[in-house]
Amino acid sequence: MTTATTTGSRQARAAATRQRIVDAARELFISNGYRSTSLRDIAAAASVSHPGLLGHFASKDDLLAEVVAGFEEENERAFDLVGAASDSGELIFADVARRNARTPGYLELFAALTGEASAPEHPAHERMRQRYARLRELSSEVLEDAALHGTIDAGRDVSDETTRHMAGWDGLQLISQYLPDRVDVVQMLEERESLWALPVGWRDPAQPAPADVAAGPLPAMSAALVEGAGDSEPGYAVGRRRRAQILADAMHLFSRGGYGDTSLSDIAKAVGVSKSTLLHHYPSKELLLSAVLTERDRAIQERSEDEHPERAGAALRDLPTGARVSALDEPGLIEVYAVLSCEAVPATHPAHDYFAERFEEVIGYFAELFRLAQVDGDLSEHRDPEHEAVWLVAMWDGLQYQWLYDRDAVDITAHLRAHLDDVLPLR
């Protein structure tokens, strides 16, 4: 056997081992989450030693970059292949999503990473930020071509529509991991694409004008948003202040490093107490997580207590105001929600059921508001209340994720207002 043959065989074995490691990492990142997967877990799954793995990848961060890069190559290839096969001006997003859904692990990994990598310290933050920029470029090209060929109405702003469509797509991918029987990403994108052919704020001239009196009382705020709201903390004032400080610091740390990578010792150190003192107030990390999520919901409920619109359409049009308050005054609520909602995608995560129930409740709440708005005549008959509810929640979440990657470029309030002006035009 020649030296060249020997070298070639060695390189082939090394390449095969490297690919086996990447495949194992991808499967574990998807099933367990990036933060909960160790290099030793990956080495065992790939049937290599830990030192042997380190010979190929110096860190888990490097492995994650390799996994994401592989998915992104497939994603760009999907845009190219679907676009090449389409007629000029055709909208291809649903077809790309259909191809992505057939790629094992694609939806799960990016649903998890979207929020998880939003913290600047996360190893995938810069790569995901670049991913947004590249997908925005690809999506804008598709929409600009569609506008030129009349597939979408010429009055629509391509740049803004691109941002909102990407946001909705991201949000749908996440929600579908929690509610697979209620949210079909491909179907939702197909329905949104059909609406672009209509002018902004289009209403059927034959539809009656909105009623002067609302059809009925508005639904109560979703249970997922009011759980624990208004309950006072038990104990003496010192204890209440200490618990409030623990929750504030835990919320900050969870939003920075995620639940999996934040230890009780980290939180105790931030608060300035011993771990035993922390455990006196919250006996387990899972109970502390539950308290953080409840505190977030309480803050949301407290902010909206003074809002009493009489019509469902008015309640929906008021949503951007609350979004503006959150972005300016309470960015930590957005951060902890974004990180934890994505980290909790695996069914084994202690917050998975919380987010599944929250999405179910919130979508139901908005679906009822849209239904009442349609009865009042504020929502046009050609729009489906259930679809509008799912898309609103998905797009709102997606806008928050984009904002966390580029806070100067994404105005959540303006995009929500523009979307609702299209869906619920005043006349």
Side-chain angles (χ1 to χ4, degrees):
M1 182 178 294
T2 65
T3 301
T5 301
T6 302
T7 300
S9 298
R10 186 181 302 116
Q11 291 175 340
R13 288 196 301 272
T17 300
R18 183 181 178 89
Q19 188 59 52
R20 198 165 67 248
I21 293 170
V22 172
D23 292 342
R26 178 161 71 173
E27 291 180 11
L28 288 173
F29 289 161
I30 292 165
S31 61
N32 300 336
Y34 168 76
R35 297 182 189 276
S36 299
T37 301
S38 70
L39 284 177
R40 293 188 183 277
D41 295 333
I42 297 169
S47 299
V48 299
S49 66
H50 185 230
L53 182 150
L54 293 175
H56 292 277
F57 297 97
S59 68
K60 191 170 71 167
D61 301 353
D62 292 341
L63 249 178
L64 177 65
E66 188 80 5
V67 170
V68 172
F71 273 127
E72 282 308 282
E73 288 177 7
E74 295 171 9
N75 194 51
E76 291 207 22
R77 193 178 305 117
F79 264 90
D80 293 339
L81 290 174
V82 174
S86 301
D87 293 331
S88 186
E90 184 176 346
L91 295 170
I92 64 173
F93 302 110
D95 288 334
V96 172
R98 188 176 289 107
R99 290 178 65 92
N100 289 343
R102 292 197 297 263
T103 302
Y106 181 92
L107 294 181
E108 293 87 347
L109 182 66
F110 280 104
L113 271 183
T114 296
E116 216 180 288
S118 62
E121 301 84 2
H122 193 283
H125 179 82
E126 181 58 25
R127 183 174 288 276
M128 291 294 285
R129 191 188 68 77
Q130 292 174 3
R131 171 181 179 262
Y132 274 117
R134 180 58 180 151
L135 286 181
R136 184 176 292 108
E137 179 184 343
L138 291 169
S139 299
S140 291
E141 290 173 359
V142 172
L143 284 181
E144 286 170 0
D145 185 58
L148 286 173
H149 290 83
T151 308
I152 67 174
D153 186 81
R156 292 188 176 273
D157 186 296
V158 167
S159 177
D160 288 347
E161 292 287 359
T162 298
T163 296
R164 290 193 288 274
H165 193 63
M166 286 176 54
W169 195 345
D170 270 344
L172 289 173
Q173 290 187 156
L174 177 69
I175 298 172
S176 68
Q177 303 304 304
Y178 289 101
L179 306 178
D181 295 332
R182 189 167 188 175
V183 177
D184 184 319
V185 177
V186 174
Q187 179 183 339
M188 289 290 299
L189 291 179
E190 287 176 336
E191 292 174 359
R192 294 316 295 184
E193 289 180 8
S194 69
L195 293 171
W196 270 330
L198 301 173
V200 174
W202 184 85
R203 296 177 65 92
D204 185 347
Q207 183 177 336
D212 294 330
V213 180
L218 302 187
M221 179 66 77
S222 169
L225 296 182
V226 301
E227 179 184 357
D231 294 340
S232 60
E233 290 276 12
Y236 296 102
V238 173
R240 290 198 297 272
R241 287 196 298 271
R242 176 65 53 76
R243 281 188 287 273
Q245 186 62 48
I246 291 172
L247 290 180
D249 288 332
M251 184 178 295
H252 175 73
L253 290 175
F254 287 161
S255 69
R256 297 291 86 190
Y259 173 81
D261 281 356
T262 301
S263 68
L264 289 175
S265 296
D266 294 332
I267 298 169
K269 182 178 179 181
V271 178
V273 299
S274 66
K275 184 176 178 180
S276 61
T277 299
L278 177 66
L279 290 171
H280 170 74
H281 294 288
Y282 297 99
S284 71
K285 189 178 173 185
E286 288 79 6
L287 287 174
L288 177 56
L289 173 62
S290 177
V292 165
L293 295 171
T294 298
E295 172 61 18
R296 176 189 177 276
D297 290 346
R298 185 204 61 76
I300 292 173
Q301 170 66 8
E302 185 177 79
R303 190 181 63 213
S304 60
E305 278 180 347
D306 296 331
E307 302 170 7
H308 300 290
E310 295 182 358
R311 295 173 71 95
L316 289 163
R317 293 189 192 99
D318 284 347
L319 293 174
T321 302
R324 182 175 183 276
V325 171
S326 292
L328 293 177
D329 299 342
E330 299 169 320
L333 296 181
I334 297 177
E335 292 164 355
V336 75
Y337 171 81
V339 172
L340 292 178
S341 63
C342 293
E343 184 186 356
V345 164
T348 54
H349 194 284
H352 180 88
D353 289 344
Y354 165 87
F355 282 106
E357 292 171 4
R358 181 188 186 279
F359 281 124
E360 191 75 52
E361 292 280 353
V362 172
I363 290 173
Y365 171 70
F366 283 129
E368 180 62 10
L369 281 183
F370 277 116
R371 188 191 69 79
L372 289 173
Q374 196 166 61
V375 172
D376 292 339
D378 293 320
L379 178 69
S380 185
E381 294 293 341
H382 74 281
R383 292 184 179 271
D384 175 59
E386 172 76 10
H387 171 92
E388 294 302 335
V390 174
W391 186 262
L392 176 62
V393 174
M395 186 191 68
W396 195 341
D397 280 4
L399 287 171
Q400 291 184 150
Y401 301 141
Q402 289 191 33
W403 177 77
L404 289 171
Y405 285 97
D406 194 342
R407 303 190 185 203
D408 295 328
V410 179
D411 188 330
I412 300 174
T413 304
H415 280 295
L416 281 177
R417 184 166 289 121
H419 171 71
L420 290 168
D421 285 346
D422 185 14
V423 176
L424 296 165
L426 293 169
R427 75 174 187 182

